[in-house]
């Protein structure tokens, strides 16, 4: 999505990709093994520097005003939120705070066992535990505090993905057969996920 396909018309980004700049970026990529997202972010910030850089400098540094917070209370949809018990980046109590910030729809908060990544990437069939509201209900106000929520939550063995699937199913349309892939002129080359994932 929103990726440049026609490099003959790069617009304002033409300011940046001169030969010395490209050489410098390539050297950084060779050292790291990838293009750091901060480099890309800096380029886009500079393209709209009045809005994305200088307004913050003036408001925050010179005027002493705090940047306005995003208004999470204006999200009207139901939300399925997940925290991780041993998360060192987003502590579980901080993750639970989403239940207090969203005012529009119902919030289903689930706490997964394990850490920041392993707690999320835990497909069915693996080990693990998750905690959810007692009786599996969608909670509008799930506990006054994170500790109160945890005290009334029910532990379930396995992956939280199964709970998420059931939550999604209540909010989704009827299931149907997927469309056929390919055509007579362009038949599928292989079953999903494709042969390319087997290449070394």
């Amino acid at each position: 999505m929103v990726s440049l396909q026609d490099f003959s018309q790069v617009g304002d980004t033409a300011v940046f990709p001169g030969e010395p700049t490209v050489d410098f970026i390539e050297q950084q990529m060779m050292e790291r093994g990838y293009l750091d997202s901060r480099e890309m972010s800096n380029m886009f910030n500079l393209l709209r520097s009045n809005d994305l850089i200088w307004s913050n400098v003036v408001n925050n540094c010179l005027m002493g005003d705090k940047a306005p917070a995003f208004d999470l209370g204006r999200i009207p949809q139901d939300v399925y939120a997940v925290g991780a018990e041993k998360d060192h980046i987003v502590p579980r109590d901080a993750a639970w705070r989403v239940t207090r910030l969203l005012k529009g729809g119902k919030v289903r908060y689930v706490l997964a066992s394990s850490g920041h990544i392993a707690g999320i990437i835990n497909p069915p069939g693996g080990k693990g535990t998750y905690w959810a509201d007692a009786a599996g209900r969608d909670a509008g106000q799930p506990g006054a505090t994170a500790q109160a929520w945890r005290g009334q939550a029910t532990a379930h063995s396995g992956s939280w993905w199964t709970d998420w699937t059931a939550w999604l199913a209540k909010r989704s349309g009827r299931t149907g057969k997927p469309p056929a892939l390919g055509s007579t002129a362009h038949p599928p080359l292989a079953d999903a996920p494709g042969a390319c994932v087997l290449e070394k």
Side-chain angles (χ1 to χ4, degrees):
M1 295 172 64
V2 294
S3 58
L4 188 62
Q5 303 300 321
D6 181 359
F7 287 85
S8 66
Q9 297 180 346
V10 297
D12 292 340
T13 57
V15 171
F16 297 97
E19 285 299 323
T21 306
V22 171
D23 290 343
F24 177 69
I25 292 172
E26 285 181 346
Q27 182 180 352
Q28 286 184 323
M29 289 174 62
M30 293 300 288
E31 290 173 6
R32 291 189 191 114
Y34 62 94
L35 176 62
D36 194 313
S37 62
R38 289 172 293 190
E39 302 294 334
M40 190 78 82
S41 174
N42 288 339
M43 182 188 77
F44 285 108
N45 286 343
L46 287 168
L47 287 173
R48 294 191 56 201
S49 57
N50 283 344
D51 296 330
L52 301 175
I53 297 175
W54 296 114
S55 63
N56 291 324
V57 170
V58 170
N59 291 332
N60 301 351
C61 299
L62 300 179
M63 305 295 287
D65 295 333
K66 288 185 178 179
F70 292 113
D71 189 356
L72 290 167
R74 295 181 64 185
I75 297 173
Q77 291 86 5
D78 290 352
V79 172
Y80 190 97
V82 182
E85 183 181 31
K86 297 174 185 167
D87 194 330
H88 63 289
I89 297 172
V90 181
R92 66 183 186 194
D93 290 0
W96 172 87
R97 288 280 304 149
V98 71
T99 66
R100 290 288 167 251
L101 297 173
L102 298 174
K103 308 292 185 201
K106 294 179 180 178
V107 178
R108 172 90 170 141
Y109 179 73
V110 171
L111 181 66
S113 61
S114 201
H116 185 70
I117 295 175
I120 302 302
I121 303 174
N122 182 25
K127 56 185 178 179
T129 304
Y130 69 93
W131 292 264
D133 290 332
R137 68 181 186 277
D138 289 335
Q141 298 294 328
T145 66
Q147 291 77 18
W149 178 88
R150 178 67 184 269
Q152 61 86 40
T154 304
H156 303 272
S157 295
S159 171
W160 61 268
W161 291 16
T162 54
D163 184 78
W164 182 40
T165 302
W167 184 89
L168 285 172
K170 291 178 185 176
R171 292 158 178 81
S172 302
R174 290 182 296 126
T175 58
K177 295 180 83 173
L181 298 178
S183 66
T184 307
H186 303 285
L189 299 176
D191 290 336
C196 61
V197 299
L198 304 175
E199 294 180 8
K200 293 185 180 180

